[in-house]
Amino acid sequence: MPVPPLRLGINVDHVATLRNARGGARPDPVRAALIAIEAGADGITAHLREDRRHIRDTDMERLKAEISKPLNFEMAATPDMLRISLGVKPHAVCLVPERREELTTEGGLDVVGQHNALAPFIARLSDAGIRVSLFISADPQQIEMAARLRAPVIEIHTGGWCDAVVDGHAAKAEAEWQRIVAGAKLARAAGLEVHAGHGLDYQTSETIAGLPELAELNIGYFMMGEALFVGLGETVRSMRAAMDRGRQRLAG
Ligand code: PXP
């Protein structure tokens, strides 16, 4: 199977987190999106949470209107979010689990347990020409169900692996990594486009870029933290370079 180019999606949620800390209009997540694209991002991701803790409805509308690259709209599978996303008409929707009390998206979507509930969402979004992605852990049963649900894309949750790498838990990191490697292969063999995201930094992005099955990484929190010190444009360029190094190993 040919190796797809690896796209970089930048998640701008935490620019909105910072903005909302003071309630005004700055810093503007749309400005961050434009800078990221200028520096080489292939797309922009934003998560409209039920509690609107960072991205707001108007941010989504402005992102859709003002950016020149694909918008990936992350959302929970609720009737309200379906209505909003059908109005915004992003390039893609990534369905994620959502619990109010969580700090971030802590686990993957349970597509095995929720396939009956998810099927109509996937159908409605697909009928509207929106590419649907399911954010799941690299679990064979979840991957097989995602394929049966006819979602064209899965995004593998890399949070457990990234945390283990950063915390220096070598055995856990290796086990999580092997799960991701096997999951990416299984998903690709089932005809799914494979994305990955959550917790990625330069090191883990370079490593995961070496998986030929991957087509896209979505990265946010680390990018915005780095941007505080070196600027967002520089952070995007460094991330792109890390991903290119990982990808080049495939050619060698
Ligand atoms: N992909 C998905 C589906 C997510 O929910 C998130 C977190 O919002 C990310 C990627 C980005 O994760 P991080 O902010 O840790 O890079």
Short mmCIF file of all heavy atoms in Angstrom, two decimals, residues 3-7 214-216 240 247:
data_model
loop_
_atom_site.label_atom_id
_atom_site.label_comp_id
_atom_site.label_asym_id
_atom_site.label_seq_id
_atom_site.Cartn_x
_atom_site.Cartn_y
_atom_site.Cartn_z
N VAL A 3 2.54 4.86 0.77
CA VAL A 3 2.63 5.64 2.01
C VAL A 3 2.01 7.02 1.77
O VAL A 3 2.49 7.77 0.93
CB VAL A 3 4.10 5.80 2.45
CG1 VAL A 3 4.19 6.67 3.71
CG2 VAL A 3 4.72 4.44 2.71
N PRO A 4 0.94 7.36 2.51
CA PRO A 4 0.33 8.68 2.29
C PRO A 4 1.22 9.78 2.88
O PRO A 4 1.95 9.53 3.84
CB PRO A 4 -0.99 8.60 3.05
CG PRO A 4 -0.80 7.54 4.09
CD PRO A 4 0.24 6.59 3.57
N PRO A 5 1.16 11.00 2.32
CA PRO A 5 1.87 12.10 2.97
C PRO A 5 1.25 12.33 4.36
O PRO A 5 0.07 12.03 4.55
CB PRO A 5 1.62 13.31 2.06
CG PRO A 5 0.61 12.89 1.05
CD PRO A 5 0.38 11.42 1.17
N LEU A 6 2.04 12.80 5.29
CA LEU A 6 1.52 12.96 6.66
C LEU A 6 1.12 14.41 6.89
O LEU A 6 1.96 15.31 6.91
CB LEU A 6 2.59 12.53 7.67
CG LEU A 6 2.16 12.47 9.13
CD1 LEU A 6 0.96 11.54 9.33
CD2 LEU A 6 3.33 12.00 10.00
N ARG A 7 -0.18 14.62 7.09
CA ARG A 7 -0.69 15.98 7.30
C ARG A 7 -0.57 16.36 8.78
O ARG A 7 -0.65 15.52 9.66
CB ARG A 7 -2.16 16.08 6.88
CG ARG A 7 -2.40 15.88 5.38
CD ARG A 7 -3.85 16.21 5.02
NE ARG A 7 -4.77 15.36 5.71
CZ ARG A 7 -5.23 14.20 5.26
NH1 ARG A 7 -4.84 13.75 4.08
NH2 ARG A 7 -6.09 13.48 5.96
N LEU A 214 -0.15 6.02 8.74
CA LEU A 214 -0.76 7.27 9.21
C LEU A 214 -0.86 8.33 8.12
O LEU A 214 0.07 8.51 7.33
CB LEU A 214 0.05 7.85 10.37
CG LEU A 214 -0.05 7.16 11.71
CD1 LEU A 214 0.55 8.02 12.79
CD2 LEU A 214 -1.49 6.84 12.06
N ALA A 215 -1.98 9.04 8.12
CA ALA A 215 -2.19 10.11 7.14
C ALA A 215 -2.24 11.49 7.80
O ALA A 215 -2.09 12.50 7.12
CB ALA A 215 -3.49 9.87 6.37
N GLU A 216 -2.47 11.55 9.12
CA GLU A 216 -2.64 12.87 9.76
C GLU A 216 -2.37 12.79 11.25
O GLU A 216 -2.75 11.81 11.91
CB GLU A 216 -4.09 13.35 9.53
CG GLU A 216 -4.40 14.72 10.08
CD GLU A 216 -5.77 15.22 9.64
OE1 GLU A 216 -6.04 15.25 8.43
OE2 GLU A 216 -6.57 15.57 10.52
N ARG A 240 6.73 20.26 12.01
CA ARG A 240 6.77 19.74 10.63
C ARG A 240 8.11 19.04 10.37
O ARG A 240 8.17 17.94 9.80
CB ARG A 240 6.57 20.94 9.71
CG ARG A 240 6.39 20.78 8.26
CD ARG A 240 5.06 20.27 7.82
NE ARG A 240 5.19 18.85 7.57
CZ ARG A 240 4.18 18.04 7.33
NH1 ARG A 240 2.95 18.48 7.32
NH2 ARG A 240 4.37 16.76 7.11
N ARG A 247 9.23 10.53 8.92
CA ARG A 247 8.76 9.98 7.64
C ARG A 247 9.93 9.56 6.75
O ARG A 247 9.84 8.57 6.03
CB ARG A 247 7.93 11.07 6.95
CG ARG A 247 6.70 10.61 6.20
CD ARG A 247 5.80 9.79 7.01
NE ARG A 247 4.52 9.60 6.34
CZ ARG A 247 3.53 8.89 6.84
NH1 ARG A 247 3.66 8.29 7.99
NH2 ARG A 247 2.40 8.77 6.18
#
